[in-house]
Amino acid sequence: MAFDVEAIRAEFPILQRQVHGKPLVYLDSAASAQKPRAVIEAMTRAMEHSYANVHRGLHTLANETTDAYEAARRKVAAFIGADEGEIVFTKGGTEAVNLVAAGLGAGLEPGDEVVISEMEHHANIVPWHFLRERQGVVLKWVRVTDDGALDLDHFQSLLGPRTKVVALSHMSNVLGTINPAKDLARMAHEAGARVLFDGCQAIVHKPVDVKDIDADFYVFSGHKLYGPTGIGILYGKAELLRALPPYQGGGEMIATVSMDEITYADPPHRFEAGTPPILEAIGLGAAIDWLSGMDRLAAAEHEHRLYRRVRDGLSGANWLKVIGEAEGKGAILSFTVDGAHAHDVAQILDRYGVAVRAGTHCAEPLMRRFGVTSSARASFALYNTEHEADAFVDALTKTQAFFA
Ligand code: PMP
């Protein structure tokens, strides 16, 4: 079955718009993806027909909304091969990492070690830095090779008796590198550590089965997965979630409260204090339904074809430096243009209707590793076209001429 990108595009109203009088070429999906009508309509329908707070009502709308919210949890669980009790709704991937770091951190002693890597997003760095600052936990950093792969020998050499947690990206938001999660989990477990994967990017581009990987924790955001902002997912193995202390306190996460003591609800509700992101969960459920109706391997191949087309189109560009060329990488192109600041490159590209990201991509240690202060990044999604890939090559070539 051919991958029908035009049919897919037609489902994204925003892709019809123009920017500075040019057709929008949206190459910033790694920061946040656009939303298909199925997601927009699911959220609108909920607000127009069946909306109330969840879990605490005895009336029809509350029950309907609770059903829709819990159905979304089941959709997420099925999407990654988990049980519904193992899915916690958070406000984003960032909050999910913070929840795990705070919970696991409560059991760590000074000198205990957390292994992260040079390619992590700040979301998977700063929560572990808190443990270093506050508790004397030691951070160990896995090196990244020159082509942007994780140095597996170095990873192995960092694992030891004090390693308590391994927290690694499944796919880098800068390099596009896809890390061998199953191997990493096995190595971490052999060392007796818990392993968390930051799946914010990987989940968008490849089928993920958390049980096959044997992840202890797996986190991602809704908004990169064609769903809304304000929702993230923490998957945790049932027995590990049960052992994790609560993160935030409030309504819904308790079993009983008295003046002298509290008892907590079971996971996942223990970690969902207060009114949760109800509409956002429903929207994410719709995004997952929408994605599940798609040939995801064909989508990944399509994205990769666009990446190759851009690389080929720029093969003669001696002014371009690409960061991240690891084998099997996903369709993310980070680059610098000789003599130009990445912010200027992005702003000029915008005049041609091309949206790319520029800056440190919340990955300052990685920028330092590659000796740059910033880079520009074009990221490809399943709704991008070959025509857009060519438009990007053309716009970037014209942009470079400003700096030549
Ligand atoms: N990890 C990675 C690899 C990311 O790309 C991002 C988003 N840029 C995050 C974590 C954080 O996700 P969010 O901002 O949605 O919480």
Side-chain angles (χ1 to χ4, degrees), residues 30 92-94 121 123 171 173 198 200-201 221 223-224:
T94 301
H121 186 281
M171 174 176 171
N173 64 313
D198 171 356
C200 286
Q201 298 293 337
S221 305
H223 65 97
K224 298 177 201 281

Side-chain angles (χ1 to χ4, degrees), residues 177-329:
T177 308
I178 297 175
N179 289 320
K182 197 170 172 171
D183 293 339
L184 298 170
R186 183 180 36 76
M187 291 158 79
H189 288 147
E190 279 166 10
R194 300 287 181 220
V195 62
L196 172 143
F197 289 106
D198 171 356
C200 286
Q201 298 293 337
I203 193 83
V204 184
H205 303 286
K206 65 198 301 289
V208 168
D209 182 331
V210 290
K211 301 282 179 199
D212 180 57
I213 293 172
D214 198 19
D216 294 319
F217 301 99
Y218 195 97
V219 308
F220 58 96
S221 305
H223 65 97
K224 298 177 201 281
L225 195 62
Y226 308 102
T229 53
I231 181 109
I233 297 299
L234 163 62
Y235 157 80
K237 283 182 182 164
E239 70 273 18
L240 298 182
L241 286 183
R242 262 196 304 278
L244 214 59
Y247 179 55
Q248 293 184 330
E252 291 305 306
M253 52 76 72
I254 47 83
T256 61
V257 180
S258 74
M259 289 189 176
D260 304 318
E261 68 171 14
I262 41 176
T263 56
Y264 301 119
D266 289 333
H269 301 289
R270 181 186 301 168
F271 303 106
E272 295 178 2
T275 298
I278 302 167
L279 293 164
E280 292 78 2
I282 291 170
L284 177 57
I288 286 175
D289 281 344
W290 179 80
L291 260 179
S292 302
M294 192 147 322
D295 181 343
R296 296 199 67 207
L297 292 178
E301 274 166 25
H302 169 75
E303 292 167 353
H304 206 72
R305 252 193 321 275
L306 300 180
Y307 176 84
R308 284 281 13 128
R309 192 173 175 98
V310 166
R311 289 293 273 132
D312 292 347
L314 292 168
S315 59
N318 57 4
W319 40 264
L320 184 80
K321 289 204 178 50
V322 172
I323 304 171
E325 313 226 49
E327 178 100 23
K329 66 169 280 186

Side-chain angles (χ1 to χ4, degrees), residues 30-32 91-97 119-124 169-174 198-202 219-224 230-232 332 357 361-362 377:
S32 204
K91 82 170 167 69
T94 301
E95 188 177 57
V97 180
M119 71 168 77
E120 299 313 309
H121 186 281
H122 294 167
N124 196 31
S169 170
H170 193 180
M171 174 176 171
S172 162
N173 64 313
V174 179
D198 171 356
C200 286
Q201 298 293 337
V219 308
F220 58 96
S221 305
H223 65 97
K224 298 177 201 281
I231 181 109
I332 288 179
R357 183 133 299 235
H361 315 290
C362 296
R377 179 187 71 188

